Amino acid sequence: MELTTVWFLLIALLWIGYFVLEGFDFGVGVLLPVLGRDDEDRRRILATIGPVWDGNEVWLIVAGGATFAAFPEWYATLFSGFYLPLFLILVALILRGVAIEYRGKSDNPRAWDRAMFFGSLLPAFLWGVAFANIVRGVPLDADHEYTGTLFTLLNPYALLGGLATLALFTLHGAVFLVLRTDGDLRTRASALARRLAVGALVVGGVFLLITQLTVGRAATWAAVAVAAAGIAVSLLATLRGRDGWAFTASAVAIIAAVVTLFGSLWPNVMPALDPANSLNVYNASSTPYTLTVMTWVAAIFTPIVLLYQGWTYWVFRRRVTGARVEA
C-alpha cells in the first residue's frame, strides 16, 4: 500500500477518534441547559466529561498536524478557504474550555453554562458544514486556492450536514449521560435519548442518502446501512436499559458516517467544482521521505497515546452521583 494511501486512512482514523470522543462532549454541552434543572444537575453533567474532555481534543490537534505534514497542499487550501468557519470553531472550543474550568470558581455559573452550550453547539454544527463542503466540492482555481465566499459554504447540502452532525453528537451525548449518571437525571436523559435517536435517524439518514446518491460509490452503501443500524440499535438498547450497548451503537453510527464521507472523498482530499483543479492524495502529499519518517513516528507513539487514554477512561468509568460530585 502506498504511503499516501496509508496517511489518508490514518487521517480518517484520527477524525473518527475525534468525532466519537469529542462528539459526546459536544452532546453533553448542548444538553446542559436541557437536562440541568438545578445547579446540582449541571455540576453532575459537567463532571461526566470533566476528566476526559481535554484529552479528547488532542485528536483534533493530531489530525490537524498530520494533515499539515502529510498533505500540506490540502492543509493550506482548507485552512485558508475555510478560515472563518474554522476560526469560529476555535473560538467556541476556547470558550467551552474556559467555561468548564471556571464555572466552579464564578459567582455567576449560569453565564458559564451558556458559554458551554454555545461553545458545544457551534462546533457540533460547523464541523458538519465543513466536511459536507469538502465532500461536495468547492470552487478552486488552478493554483488550488479557494475562490468562493462564506456564503458559498452555507449551501443547503452543507447546512443539512451541520444539522446531521449536531443531531448525531447530541444523541451520542445523551446516551453517554445515561451511561454515566443515575437517578432522575439518568431517567430524563434516557427519555430524551429516545426522541433524539428518531431525529438523528431522519436527519442523518437524509444527509447520508443524498451524499451517497451524489458523490458516493458502491462500497460506501454498506457504511450508510451501518450508520442507520447503529442509531436504531442505540434506540432499542436505550429502551431496554442496555446503556453500554446504546453508547457503543451510537459510536458505531458516527464511525460509519465518517467512513461514508471519507470513502466518498477518496482519492480526492479537496475536490474542486472543476475536477481539473481538485486536490488528491497524489498532488497534495509531502515527499516520500517525509511520509516514511512520519509513519515510523506514528507507529511508535500512537499505541502509547491509545493506552494512556484508554487507562484514563478506565479510571473514570464509574457513574457520577450527587455524593461523588460533592466529594
Side-chain angles (χ1 to χ4, degrees):
M1 183 182 295
E2 295 181 352
L3 288 179
T4 52
T5 303
V6 170
W7 276 97
F8 179 87
L9 295 175
L10 286 176
I11 289 172
L13 182 63
L14 289 170
W15 281 107
I16 286 173
Y18 176 67
F19 285 145
V20 168
L21 297 177
E22 190 79 329
F24 68 74
D25 284 353
F26 291 149
V28 168
V30 171
L31 294 175
L32 180 64
V34 179
L35 294 174
R37 291 182 174 176
D38 52 34
D39 188 65
E40 181 182 348
D41 279 349
R42 290 188 285 272
R43 284 188 290 110
R44 288 175 63 193
I45 290 171
L46 291 176
T48 62
I49 62 172
V52 298
W53 71 269
D54 47 357
N56 294 341
E57 291 192 349
V58 171
W59 289 80
L60 173 61
I61 298 171
V62 177
T67 304
F68 173 77
F71 301 103
E73 287 282 347
W74 183 14
Y75 182 93
T77 301
L78 176 64
F79 279 79
S80 59
F82 289 39
Y83 180 84
L84 185 55
L86 293 176
F87 178 77
L88 291 175
I89 290 174
L90 179 61
V91 170
L93 292 177
I94 294 173
L95 186 66
R96 180 170 161 270
V98 173
I100 294 174
E101 296 296 333
Y102 280 87
R103 183 187 188 278
K105 304 176 179 64
S106 172
D107 295 329
N108 184 19
R110 295 305 296 271
W112 293 112
D113 291 343
R114 288 190 288 271
M116 179 65 180
F117 171 75
F118 288 108
S120 301
L121 178 71
L122 279 177
F125 177 75
L126 290 177
W127 280 128
V129 172
F131 271 89
N133 276 294
I134 292 173
V135 172
R136 170 181 174 267
V138 293
L140 301 178
D141 61 18
D143 295 322
H144 308 302
E145 294 183 0
Y146 179 72
T147 58
T149 65
L150 174 62
F151 296 103
T152 306
L153 301 177
L154 300 179
N155 55 81
Y157 172 74
L159 295 176
L160 179 61
L163 291 176
T165 53
L166 177 60
L168 282 172
F169 293 159
T170 307
L171 169 64
H172 200 41
V175 295
F176 179 75
L177 288 174
V178 175
L179 181 66
R180 292 297 312 281
T181 60
D182 64 356
D184 180 60
L185 179 57
R186 176 184 175 277
T187 301
R188 286 185 280 115
S190 178
L192 183 58
R194 299 167 199 167
R195 297 193 292 271
L196 289 171
V198 177
L201 187 60
V202 173
V203 178
V206 171
F207 171 69
L208 290 180
L209 183 60
I210 293 174
T211 302
Q212 187 63 29
L213 293 175
T214 53
V215 296
R217 56 192 64 195
T220 51
W221 277 111
V224 173
V226 170
I231 298 174
V233 171
S234 181
L235 173 59
L236 293 175
T238 301
L239 290 171
R240 296 184 178 183
R242 305 296 296 272
D243 303 343
W245 282 108
F247 181 75
T248 301
S250 67
V252 168
I254 293 174
I255 292 171
V258 179
V259 168
T260 302
L261 296 179
F262 274 88
S264 302
L265 193 59
W266 169 264
N268 293 318
V269 293
M270 197 75 178
L273 297 182
D274 180 358
N277 298 332
S278 294
L279 283 168
N280 54 51
V281 295
Y282 307 108
N283 63 10
S285 67
S286 294
T287 63
Y289 179 77
T290 301
L291 295 178
T292 301
V293 173
M294 289 173 57
T295 302
W296 281 106
V297 172
I300 294 171
F301 289 101
T302 301
I304 297 175
V305 174
L306 292 176
L307 286 172
Y308 174 76
Q309 193 159 30
W311 174 79
T312 303
Y313 276 93
W314 176 257
V315 170
F316 295 102
R317 67 189 183 278
R318 295 182 180 178
R319 293 183 185 272
V320 177
T321 65
R324 291 185 65 200
V325 171
E326 291 294 337

